[in-house]
Amino acid sequence: KGDSLKNDTVPIMASAGEIVLPRSVTMSDNPGEAAKQFVMNLHSKYKDGDEENDFKTALSRAIKTRKSK
């Protein structure tokens, strides 16, 4: 259970700079805020970009992908 490589069963084809949000983020009470925190934590770990703009871009892509399904 939870975020673990053991339950990561769907292979993805992510482009450079794209991420996959853990189920715990997308299923949380406030997925937008949880996604923001997840992305900001990644950026603080790697320190390679503008967290606010990168988050907006990632969220925009996720919304477009979700709407197209």
Side-chain angles (χ1 to χ4, degrees):
K1 290 189 173 192
D3 299 330
S4 169
L5 292 176
K6 293 178 185 176
N7 60 21
D8 185 10
T9 59
V10 180
I12 65 156
M13 299 296 288
S15 299
E18 293 181 335
I19 62 168
V20 175
L21 295 172
R23 181 177 288 134
S24 60
V25 169
T26 60
M27 301 300 288
S28 69
D29 290 337
N30 187 346
E33 184 60 31
K36 179 179 178 180
Q37 289 302 315
F38 180 81
V39 172
M40 290 177 72
N41 287 340
L42 284 178
H43 278 283
S44 67
K45 184 176 180 179
Y46 297 104
K47 301 222 187 264
D48 65 353
D50 175 5
E51 292 89 354
E52 188 65 25
N53 287 329
D54 289 347
F55 171 74
K56 288 178 183 177
T57 301
L59 185 58
S60 176
R61 285 182 187 161
I63 290 169
K64 287 178 186 175
T65 301
R66 193 169 192 180
K67 285 181 180 178
S68 69
K69 290 186 177 182

